[in-house]
Amino acid sequence: MALLTLPELPYAKDALGFISEKTLSFHHDKHFKTYVDTANKLIEGTEFAGMPLMGILATAKGALFNNVSQAYNHDFYFKCLSPEKQDIPEKVDAALNSAFGSAEKFKEEFIKNAAGNFGSGWTWLVEDNDRKVRIFSTSNAGNPLSSGLKPLLVVDVWEHAYYLDYQNRRADYLKDFAEHINWGFVAENLV
Ligand code: MN
């Protein structure tokens, strides 16, 4: 039995506007699927079979960690996007105000960090053990769970996430991303 499954996108492939249907097709149906399939092949017949995803992420190394983490990160990323511009729920707005001064200042900081996340990686909004929210960047397949941080929001800055639509203009992709955040999902994560 396959341990990881490829979830459907929570919106139509042409719904986001700033990310094209072509990019979403490659990103979800090829990149994300390959991470899921490879992770399942690596898990099959090992002590990781039947282990919950979080358990695998906490103990796996090398290729298994990379593929399971990329599967987790992509599932999280696609849930962070919304076709419609959403209002920021009050508790999220309060957390952003407290940490960054305002939601707009958070967006600026987030874009700056993600633009400067060198090479391939992910830029997150996380909550730490003191219940403070902050920006946290990881490289390659990294995720904040490995550092004991709770992920609230992520943007994929691997080139495959934006190159067909934005080429080298990562900052433009990030500015558009910031206006398509699924704040309802962020609020669900901030418990
Ligand atoms: Mn990706």
Side-chain angles (χ1 to χ4, degrees):
M1 193 188 86
L3 180 81
L4 305 183
T5 53
L6 182 72
E8 294 284 319
L9 281 174
Y11 32 75
K13 286 202 179 87
D14 61 356
L16 292 174
F18 80 110
I19 299 174
S20 66
E21 186 173 359
K22 190 174 179 185
T23 292
L24 276 187
S25 294
F26 275 104
H27 202 178
H28 179 275
D29 304 351
K30 306 286 183 192
H31 291 279
F32 187 7
K33 184 175 190 299
T34 300
Y35 292 125
V36 170
D37 291 348
T38 306
N40 282 328
K41 273 187 210 138
L42 292 169
I43 287 165
E44 206 181 331
T46 72
E47 73 268 28
F48 296 103
M51 198 185 275
L53 182 85
M54 293 301 175
I56 301 175
L57 279 176
T59 52
K61 305 259 184 280
L64 179 58
F65 173 83
N66 287 338
N67 282 280
V68 172
S69 188
Q70 283 293 80
Y72 173 86
N73 291 356
H74 279 91
D75 182 36
F76 204 91
Y77 165 72
F78 288 121
K79 288 177 180 159
C80 286
L81 287 159
S82 167
E84 298 85 27
K85 191 171 166 78
Q86 292 189 7
D87 290 334
I88 303 179
E90 208 178 307
K91 70 173 176 180
V92 176
D93 197 46
L96 296 178
N97 286 340
S98 152
F100 303 99
S102 71
E104 284 310 307
K105 286 208 178 102
F106 157 71
K107 285 184 193 173
E108 283 171 27
E109 272 304 295
F110 189 74
I111 291 166
K112 200 170 91 184
N113 276 267
N117 187 351
F118 189 79
S120 295
W122 304 82
T123 295
W124 308 77
L125 177 69
V126 298
E127 187 182 30
D128 67 20
N129 283 332
D130 299 326
R131 309 209 64 184
K132 290 236 163 62
V133 300
R134 59 186 161 101
I135 295 166
F136 185 79
S137 279
T138 56
S139 292
N140 300 318
N143 75 67
L145 300 163
S146 307
S147 304
L149 299 165
K150 184 162 65 169
L152 306 176
L153 168 73
V154 73
V155 66
D156 188 345
V157 296
W158 285 59
E159 281 188 345
H160 67 226
Y162 61 88
Y163 203 85
L164 292 175
D165 301 322
Y166 292 87
Q167 295 81 44
N168 61 320
R169 294 176 293 111
R170 186 194 283 190
D172 290 342
Y173 156 68
L174 294 168
K175 272 180 217 153
D176 290 340
F177 172 89
E179 301 309 315
H180 289 83
I181 292 173
N182 182 352
W183 289 110
F185 178 65
V186 177
E188 281 171 34
N189 297 322
L190 186 69
V191 285

